[in-house]
Amino acid sequence: MMRPVRPVALYVLTLCALYPGLTSVFQGLYAFVCHQEFALLGQQGVFVDTLVKFGAPIWLPNLMKAAIGGAFLAGVPGLWAGDWRAVPLVLLGAVGSLLLGPGPGVMGLIALICLFVFRETSTDQPA
């Protein structure tokens, strides 16, 4: 069985998914649980502010942020299981985290490098 990525890259992908995945799900669903917007120092973040400026209702960027984090968190265990169908979920989470700011963006960039550079090939694994 060929895995989608190398084992060391799986560890790095797991660490990269925890930060933007957990924080995005928390921040995205916070408004629906606590009935107020998540804001640090009175700011909601570049992603939410930009979409609200373009006329999107406030719930839309929050749900998009939760979906990005959820895709990351749902895809990485699939990669651990060796399922190639999890690659699009991790790709969606990594590309989406590039939109969320500098911290999640760096993690998304590292995740993209792990996802595409550290692939398993038939020469890496015995048959």
PDB file of all heavy atoms in Angstrom, residues 89-115:
ATOM      1  N   LEU A  89      -9.328  17.207   0.967  1.00  0.00           N
ATOM      2  CA  LEU A  89      -9.725  17.887   2.203  1.00  0.00           C
ATOM      3  C   LEU A  89      -8.556  18.646   2.816  1.00  0.00           C
ATOM      4  O   LEU A  89      -8.706  19.799   3.237  1.00  0.00           O
ATOM      5  CB  LEU A  89     -10.257  16.871   3.214  1.00  0.00           C
ATOM      6  CG  LEU A  89     -11.724  16.533   3.149  1.00  0.00           C
ATOM      7  CD1 LEU A  89     -12.062  15.472   4.173  1.00  0.00           C
ATOM      8  CD2 LEU A  89     -12.567  17.749   3.355  1.00  0.00           C
ATOM      9  N   VAL A  90      -7.403  18.007   2.864  1.00  0.00           N
ATOM     10  CA  VAL A  90      -6.227  18.674   3.426  1.00  0.00           C
ATOM     11  C   VAL A  90      -5.808  19.830   2.516  1.00  0.00           C
ATOM     12  O   VAL A  90      -5.414  20.888   2.996  1.00  0.00           O
ATOM     13  CB  VAL A  90      -5.084  17.662   3.628  1.00  0.00           C
ATOM     14  CG1 VAL A  90      -3.819  18.356   4.097  1.00  0.00           C
ATOM     15  CG2 VAL A  90      -5.491  16.604   4.626  1.00  0.00           C
ATOM     16  N   LEU A  91      -5.919  19.645   1.227  1.00  0.00           N
ATOM     17  CA  LEU A  91      -5.601  20.722   0.282  1.00  0.00           C
ATOM     18  C   LEU A  91      -6.539  21.908   0.490  1.00  0.00           C
ATOM     19  O   LEU A  91      -6.101  23.061   0.516  1.00  0.00           O
ATOM     20  CB  LEU A  91      -5.688  20.201  -1.153  1.00  0.00           C
ATOM     21  CG  LEU A  91      -5.376  21.192  -2.257  1.00  0.00           C
ATOM     22  CD1 LEU A  91      -3.931  21.645  -2.160  1.00  0.00           C
ATOM     23  CD2 LEU A  91      -5.642  20.575  -3.612  1.00  0.00           C
ATOM     24  N   LEU A  92      -7.830  21.642   0.662  1.00  0.00           N
ATOM     25  CA  LEU A  92      -8.797  22.714   0.922  1.00  0.00           C
ATOM     26  C   LEU A  92      -8.477  23.430   2.228  1.00  0.00           C
ATOM     27  O   LEU A  92      -8.507  24.664   2.292  1.00  0.00           O
ATOM     28  CB  LEU A  92     -10.213  22.144   0.961  1.00  0.00           C
ATOM     29  CG  LEU A  92     -11.321  23.119   1.346  1.00  0.00           C
ATOM     30  CD1 LEU A  92     -11.526  24.142   0.245  1.00  0.00           C
ATOM     31  CD2 LEU A  92     -12.596  22.376   1.635  1.00  0.00           C
ATOM     32  N   GLY A  93      -8.148  22.676   3.262  1.00  0.00           N
ATOM     33  CA  GLY A  93      -7.805  23.292   4.539  1.00  0.00           C
ATOM     34  C   GLY A  93      -6.522  24.107   4.465  1.00  0.00           C
ATOM     35  O   GLY A  93      -6.436  25.189   5.035  1.00  0.00           O
ATOM     36  N   ALA A  94      -5.518  23.600   3.757  1.00  0.00           N
ATOM     37  CA  ALA A  94      -4.238  24.313   3.662  1.00  0.00           C
ATOM     38  C   ALA A  94      -4.369  25.583   2.840  1.00  0.00           C
ATOM     39  O   ALA A  94      -3.860  26.635   3.220  1.00  0.00           O
ATOM     40  CB  ALA A  94      -3.179  23.399   3.062  1.00  0.00           C
ATOM     41  N   VAL A  95      -5.062  25.503   1.710  1.00  0.00           N
ATOM     42  CA  VAL A  95      -5.247  26.702   0.873  1.00  0.00           C
ATOM     43  C   VAL A  95      -6.152  27.705   1.578  1.00  0.00           C
ATOM     44  O   VAL A  95      -5.912  28.914   1.533  1.00  0.00           O
ATOM     45  CB  VAL A  95      -5.796  26.304  -0.518  1.00  0.00           C
ATOM     46  CG1 VAL A  95      -6.202  27.522  -1.317  1.00  0.00           C
ATOM     47  CG2 VAL A  95      -4.755  25.506  -1.275  1.00  0.00           C
ATOM     48  N   GLY A  96      -7.179  27.206   2.246  1.00  0.00           N
ATOM     49  CA  GLY A  96      -8.077  28.101   2.971  1.00  0.00           C
ATOM     50  C   GLY A  96      -7.386  28.788   4.131  1.00  0.00           C
ATOM     51  O   GLY A  96      -7.680  29.947   4.442  1.00  0.00           O
ATOM     52  N   SER A  97      -6.451  28.107   4.785  1.00  0.00           N
ATOM     53  CA  SER A  97      -5.761  28.737   5.912  1.00  0.00           C
ATOM     54  C   SER A  97      -4.814  29.842   5.451  1.00  0.00           C
ATOM     55  O   SER A  97      -4.433  30.696   6.252  1.00  0.00           O
ATOM     56  CB  SER A  97      -5.016  27.698   6.731  1.00  0.00           C
ATOM     57  OG  SER A  97      -3.965  27.142   5.994  1.00  0.00           O
ATOM     58  N   LEU A  98      -4.455  29.844   4.176  1.00  0.00           N
ATOM     59  CA  LEU A  98      -3.652  30.959   3.650  1.00  0.00           C
ATOM     60  C   LEU A  98      -4.423  32.273   3.693  1.00  0.00           C
ATOM     61  O   LEU A  98      -3.824  33.344   3.732  1.00  0.00           O
ATOM     62  CB  LEU A  98      -3.214  30.663   2.211  1.00  0.00           C
ATOM     63  CG  LEU A  98      -2.261  29.490   2.011  1.00  0.00           C
ATOM     64  CD1 LEU A  98      -2.030  29.256   0.525  1.00  0.00           C
ATOM     65  CD2 LEU A  98      -0.954  29.718   2.730  1.00  0.00           C
ATOM     66  N   LEU A  99      -5.753  32.193   3.698  1.00  0.00           N
ATOM     67  CA  LEU A  99      -6.584  33.390   3.720  1.00  0.00           C
ATOM     68  C   LEU A  99      -6.824  33.934   5.121  1.00  0.00           C
ATOM     69  O   LEU A  99      -7.324  35.043   5.268  1.00  0.00           O
ATOM     70  CB  LEU A  99      -7.955  33.081   3.090  1.00  0.00           C
ATOM     71  CG  LEU A  99      -7.956  32.563   1.663  1.00  0.00           C
ATOM     72  CD1 LEU A  99      -9.357  32.127   1.275  1.00  0.00           C
ATOM     73  CD2 LEU A  99      -7.440  33.630   0.724  1.00  0.00           C
ATOM     74  N   LEU A 100      -6.504  33.171   6.147  1.00  0.00           N
ATOM     75  CA  LEU A 100      -6.917  33.520   7.504  1.00  0.00           C
ATOM     76  C   LEU A 100      -5.951  34.416   8.261  1.00  0.00           C
ATOM     77  O   LEU A 100      -6.251  34.798   9.379  1.00  0.00           O
ATOM     78  CB  LEU A 100      -7.163  32.239   8.310  1.00  0.00           C
ATOM     79  CG  LEU A 100      -8.273  31.350   7.791  1.00  0.00           C
ATOM     80  CD1 LEU A 100      -8.390  30.109   8.657  1.00  0.00           C
ATOM     81  CD2 LEU A 100      -9.581  32.089   7.717  1.00  0.00           C
ATOM     82  N   GLY A 101      -4.837  34.730   7.714  1.00  0.00           N
ATOM     83  CA  GLY A 101      -3.897  35.602   8.406  1.00  0.00           C
ATOM     84  C   GLY A 101      -2.494  35.029   8.377  1.00  0.00           C
ATOM     85  O   GLY A 101      -2.257  33.954   7.830  1.00  0.00           O
ATOM     86  N   PRO A 102      -1.548  35.720   9.003  1.00  0.00           N
ATOM     87  CA  PRO A 102      -0.165  35.280   8.910  1.00  0.00           C
ATOM     88  C   PRO A 102       0.132  33.980   9.646  1.00  0.00           C
ATOM     89  O   PRO A 102       0.866  33.137   9.135  1.00  0.00           O
ATOM     90  CB  PRO A 102       0.632  36.437   9.510  1.00  0.00           C
ATOM     91  CG  PRO A 102      -0.336  37.247  10.282  1.00  0.00           C
ATOM     92  CD  PRO A 102      -1.683  37.002   9.687  1.00  0.00           C
ATOM     93  N   GLY A 103      -0.401  33.764  10.836  1.00  0.00           N
ATOM     94  CA  GLY A 103      -0.111  32.548  11.592  1.00  0.00           C
ATOM     95  C   GLY A 103      -0.639  31.297  10.895  1.00  0.00           C
ATOM     96  O   GLY A 103       0.123  30.374  10.592  1.00  0.00           O
ATOM     97  N   PRO A 104      -1.953  31.245  10.630  1.00  0.00           N
ATOM     98  CA  PRO A 104      -2.475  30.089   9.892  1.00  0.00           C
ATOM     99  C   PRO A 104      -1.923  29.995   8.477  1.00  0.00           C
ATOM    100  O   PRO A 104      -1.797  28.900   7.929  1.00  0.00           O
ATOM    101  CB  PRO A 104      -3.983  30.326   9.867  1.00  0.00           C
ATOM    102  CG  PRO A 104      -4.253  31.226  10.993  1.00  0.00           C
ATOM    103  CD  PRO A 104      -3.027  32.077  11.145  1.00  0.00           C
ATOM    104  N   GLY A 105      -1.573  31.136   7.883  1.00  0.00           N
ATOM    105  CA  GLY A 105      -1.011  31.122   6.530  1.00  0.00           C
ATOM    106  C   GLY A 105       0.332  30.420   6.468  1.00  0.00           C
ATOM    107  O   GLY A 105       0.620  29.672   5.532  1.00  0.00           O
ATOM    108  N   VAL A 106       1.173  30.649   7.472  1.00  0.00           N
ATOM    109  CA  VAL A 106       2.473  29.971   7.515  1.00  0.00           C
ATOM    110  C   VAL A 106       2.259  28.466   7.682  1.00  0.00           C
ATOM    111  O   VAL A 106       2.914  27.654   7.016  1.00  0.00           O
ATOM    112  CB  VAL A 106       3.345  30.548   8.652  1.00  0.00           C
ATOM    113  CG1 VAL A 106       4.554  29.691   8.900  1.00  0.00           C
ATOM    114  CG2 VAL A 106       3.754  31.968   8.326  1.00  0.00           C
ATOM    115  N   MET A 107       1.334  28.092   8.551  1.00  0.00           N
ATOM    116  CA  MET A 107       1.048  26.663   8.747  1.00  0.00           C
ATOM    117  C   MET A 107       0.474  26.040   7.479  1.00  0.00           C
ATOM    118  O   MET A 107       0.781  24.898   7.135  1.00  0.00           O
ATOM    119  CB  MET A 107       0.080  26.462   9.910  1.00  0.00           C
ATOM    120  CG  MET A 107       0.643  26.841  11.219  1.00  0.00           C
ATOM    121  SD  MET A 107       1.988  25.735  11.657  1.00  0.00           S
ATOM    122  CE  MET A 107       2.806  26.678  12.868  1.00  0.00           C
ATOM    123  N   GLY A 108      -0.365  26.790   6.771  1.00  0.00           N
ATOM    124  CA  GLY A 108      -0.914  26.293   5.513  1.00  0.00           C
ATOM    125  C   GLY A 108       0.159  26.121   4.454  1.00  0.00           C
ATOM    126  O   GLY A 108       0.139  25.154   3.688  1.00  0.00           O
ATOM    127  N   LEU A 109       1.119  27.035   4.421  1.00  0.00           N
ATOM    128  CA  LEU A 109       2.225  26.925   3.466  1.00  0.00           C
ATOM    129  C   LEU A 109       3.096  25.711   3.766  1.00  0.00           C
ATOM    130  O   LEU A 109       3.461  24.961   2.857  1.00  0.00           O
ATOM    131  CB  LEU A 109       3.053  28.208   3.491  1.00  0.00           C
ATOM    132  CG  LEU A 109       4.149  28.341   2.451  1.00  0.00           C
ATOM    133  CD1 LEU A 109       3.544  28.339   1.057  1.00  0.00           C
ATOM    134  CD2 LEU A 109       4.945  29.600   2.684  1.00  0.00           C
ATOM    135  N   ILE A 110       3.392  25.489   5.034  1.00  0.00           N
ATOM    136  CA  ILE A 110       4.174  24.308   5.411  1.00  0.00           C
ATOM    137  C   ILE A 110       3.394  23.037   5.085  1.00  0.00           C
ATOM    138  O   ILE A 110       3.965  22.042   4.614  1.00  0.00           O
ATOM    139  CB  ILE A 110       4.555  24.376   6.906  1.00  0.00           C
ATOM    140  CG1 ILE A 110       5.507  25.536   7.154  1.00  0.00           C
ATOM    141  CG2 ILE A 110       5.173  23.068   7.370  1.00  0.00           C
ATOM    142  CD1 ILE A 110       5.761  25.836   8.610  1.00  0.00           C
ATOM    143  N   ALA A 111       2.086  23.060   5.309  1.00  0.00           N
ATOM    144  CA  ALA A 111       1.261  21.885   4.996  1.00  0.00           C
ATOM    145  C   ALA A 111       1.243  21.609   3.494  1.00  0.00           C
ATOM    146  O   ALA A 111       1.287  20.444   3.076  1.00  0.00           O
ATOM    147  CB  ALA A 111      -0.155  22.091   5.515  1.00  0.00           C
ATOM    148  N   LEU A 112       1.182  22.648   2.678  1.00  0.00           N
ATOM    149  CA  LEU A 112       1.215  22.444   1.229  1.00  0.00           C
ATOM    150  C   LEU A 112       2.547  21.851   0.787  1.00  0.00           C
ATOM    151  O   LEU A 112       2.586  20.983  -0.099  1.00  0.00           O
ATOM    152  CB  LEU A 112       0.952  23.766   0.499  1.00  0.00           C
ATOM    153  CG  LEU A 112      -0.483  24.266   0.520  1.00  0.00           C
ATOM    154  CD1 LEU A 112      -0.565  25.661  -0.071  1.00  0.00           C
ATOM    155  CD2 LEU A 112      -1.388  23.317  -0.232  1.00  0.00           C
ATOM    156  N   ILE A 113       3.640  22.309   1.395  1.00  0.00           N
ATOM    157  CA  ILE A 113       4.953  21.748   1.064  1.00  0.00           C
ATOM    158  C   ILE A 113       5.004  20.273   1.449  1.00  0.00           C
ATOM    159  O   ILE A 113       5.456  19.433   0.673  1.00  0.00           O
ATOM    160  CB  ILE A 113       6.069  22.563   1.753  1.00  0.00           C
ATOM    161  CG1 ILE A 113       6.174  23.943   1.119  1.00  0.00           C
ATOM    162  CG2 ILE A 113       7.404  21.833   1.668  1.00  0.00           C
ATOM    163  CD1 ILE A 113       7.062  24.908   1.875  1.00  0.00           C
ATOM    164  N   CYS A 114       4.506  19.944   2.633  1.00  0.00           N
ATOM    165  CA  CYS A 114       4.505  18.538   3.068  1.00  0.00           C
ATOM    166  C   CYS A 114       3.613  17.689   2.176  1.00  0.00           C
ATOM    167  O   CYS A 114       3.921  16.531   1.892  1.00  0.00           O
ATOM    168  CB  CYS A 114       4.026  18.424   4.510  1.00  0.00           C
ATOM    169  SG  CYS A 114       5.223  18.999   5.704  1.00  0.00           S
ATOM    170  N   LEU A 115       2.507  18.258   1.731  1.00  0.00           N
ATOM    171  CA  LEU A 115       1.543  17.494   0.942  1.00  0.00           C
ATOM    172  C   LEU A 115       2.047  17.204  -0.467  1.00  0.00           C
ATOM    173  O   LEU A 115       1.796  16.130  -1.009  1.00  0.00           O
ATOM    174  CB  LEU A 115       0.215  18.264   0.878  1.00  0.00           C
ATOM    175  CG  LEU A 115      -0.998  17.528   0.391  1.00  0.00           C
ATOM    176  CD1 LEU A 115      -1.309  16.343   1.298  1.00  0.00           C
ATOM    177  CD2 LEU A 115      -2.187  18.461   0.341  1.00  0.00           C
TER     178      LEU A 115
END
